[in-house]
C-alpha cells in the first residue's frame, strides 16, 4: 500500500471515515527528523495492508495542524474509528512506531 497525502479536502473521507487504522505523519519538507522517518513510513505502508499511512504537511495545511494541536514535528498520530488512540512526538525506529498501532 502507498502513502496517502491528506489535506483538509480529503481528511474526513480518508481519515475520519476510514475502516482501517490510520497512522498520520505531521511533517514539513524542511524538517530533518521528518525526512529521517519517511523511508520507515514507506516500509510500514508497504508491509502492513491493515494500516493506512497518511502524511499531512503542516505548512500546506495549517488548519489540520491546529486541529491536532501540533506544536512540534514529526508528530505521529494513530486513529481508529475517527478517534485518536495513540500519538508520539519525534523520530522513532520502525518497531517503536509499530507498537503505537493497536
Amino acid at each position: 500500500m502507498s502513502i496517502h497525502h491528506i489535506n483538509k479536502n480529503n481528511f474526513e473521507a480518508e481519515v475520519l471515515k476510514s475502516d482501517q487504522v490510520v497512522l498520520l505523519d505531521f511533517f514539513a519538507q524542511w524538517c530533518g527528523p521528518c525526512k529521517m522517518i519517511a523511508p520507515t513510513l514507506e516500509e510500514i505502508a508497504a508491509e502492513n495492508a491493515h494500516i493506512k499511512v497518511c502524511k499531512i504537511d503542516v505548512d500546506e495545511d495549517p488548519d489540520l495542524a491546529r486541529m491536532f494541536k501540533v506544536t512540534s514535528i514529526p508528530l505521529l498520530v494513530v486513529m481508529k474509528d475517527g478517534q485518536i488512540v495513540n500519538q508520539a512526538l519525534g523520530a522513532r525506529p520502525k518497531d517503536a512506531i509499530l507498537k503505537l498501532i493497536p
Side-chain angles (χ1 to χ4, degrees):
M1 202 167 197
S2 63
I3 295 207
H4 302 265
H5 293 276
I6 302 300
N7 58 46
K8 64 183 178 185
N9 297 324
N10 65 359
F11 177 77
E12 184 176 346
E14 292 288 337
V15 177
L16 296 180
K17 294 184 177 179
S18 177
D19 57 355
Q20 295 175 280
V21 173
V22 178
L23 174 60
L24 295 174
D25 171 32
F26 287 89
F27 79 103
Q29 298 295 333
W30 49 264
C31 170
C34 299
K35 291 178 183 180
M36 283 175 37
I37 66 167
T40 302
L41 295 174
E42 293 277 352
E43 283 180 27
I44 291 171
E47 296 169 357
N48 299 277
H50 67 287
I51 302 170
K52 183 185 243 184
V53 180
C54 302
K55 295 179 82 63
I56 299 174
D57 187 322
V58 297
D59 291 331
E60 291 181 8
D61 230 308
D63 292 338
L64 286 176
R66 271 192 295 283
M67 186 171 107
F68 281 85
K69 298 178 174 74
V70 177
T71 58
S72 190
I73 53 175
L75 175 66
L76 300 174
V77 177
V78 180
M79 298 188 70
K80 184 175 182 183
D81 300 323
Q83 301 295 316
I84 296 171
V85 295
N86 216 338
Q87 61 184 36
L89 182 62
R92 298 178 181 267
K94 184 177 178 180
D95 62 332
I97 294 172
L98 289 172
K99 285 180 183 173
L100 296 171
I101 311 293

